[in-house]
Amino acid sequence: MTHMLAELTHEAERSIDAMKGAAQQARRDHAAAELTRHMLLTTAKFMDRGRDQAVEAVVSDWMGAWKLSRDDWPEIAAEMETLTGAFFDYCVSPSDDADQAVRAAWQSLKVAHDTPEQTLEDQMAWRSVCAHGWWGDVSPAPDGYRDHDADRPREPFWAKACPPECLG
């Protein structure tokens, strides 16, 4: 028979693992949703400039918010231009076809950008001036990101040490 402490410990570990996975997925999903929402809103803001100038304005705004230089990230800038153009077309005429073009451009940007070490969603969470604070509690920015923020999390919230009084 499994004793109560062993059973509760096993269930707690299982639940904690599920919570970690859910928190990490929520951070990825929320960062992606926020990035696309910002893209749509920023594109709509520049619609009156026409397609080419709106694309240029949005890409400059986006790269500036992420503190990225076009010269240092030309392949990302090119894919971002394509994505912004797809968002522009979607703003002009929202349709299933326009949505599919946005999805395809998003995937192309992710292919050009994502590595095992960082994803587009990571960049949104670690670089963007629009990052939500709880994102860092789930997946802290590594060194080189947000180093100006002395209070930024250095480890996920579940890795924080137990206070001395709980150790008995």
Side-chain angles (χ1 to χ4, degrees):
M1 175 172 132
T2 304
H3 291 209
M4 184 176 173
L5 177 57
E7 183 178 317
L8 290 174
T9 300
H10 173 73
E11 286 302 312
E13 289 169 356
R14 188 184 62 73
S15 294
I16 289 168
D17 286 344
M19 177 270 309
K20 288 177 186 177
Q24 291 164 341
Q25 188 62 53
R27 198 276 270 158
R28 282 189 296 273
D29 292 346
H30 193 225
E34 282 296 286
L35 177 54
T36 57
R37 185 177 73 80
H38 281 274
M39 288 295 301
L40 187 61
L41 292 173
T42 306
T43 302
K45 181 172 83 175
F46 293 115
M47 291 294 291
D48 62 332
R49 297 185 183 190
R51 192 176 198 281
D52 291 343
Q53 288 183 338
V55 167
E56 175 58 33
V58 171
V59 173
S60 293
D61 184 73
W62 176 77
M63 294 191 84
W66 285 21
K67 299 172 181 49
L68 301 176
S69 160
R70 278 181 186 258
D71 294 338
D72 295 337
W73 297 80
E75 68 286 356
I76 303 304
E79 292 296 342
M80 196 62 187
E81 289 170 0
T82 301
L83 178 61
T84 305
F87 271 112
F88 185 93
D89 297 341
Y90 182 88
C91 288
V92 169
S93 180
S95 66
D96 290 346
D97 288 343
D99 179 70
Q100 288 303 312
V102 168
R103 290 171 188 264
W106 173 267
Q107 286 307 313
S108 292
L109 177 58
K110 285 188 64 62
V111 166
H113 175 278
D114 288 3
T115 68
E117 294 79 35
Q118 69 184 13
T119 64
L120 201 55
E121 295 82 2
D122 291 332
Q123 291 283 16
M124 180 64 178
W126 297 336
R127 284 192 183 274
S128 180
V129 296
C130 301
H132 292 244
W134 71 268
W135 293 348
D137 291 329
V138 172
S139 180
D143 290 339
Y145 294 84
R146 295 184 146 353
D147 291 337
H148 63 280
D149 182 1
D151 295 329
R152 74 179 172 91
R154 305 279 185 213
E155 59 188 358
F157 70 88
W158 55 80
K160 293 184 178 170
C162 181
E165 59 272 10
C166 81
L167 297 175

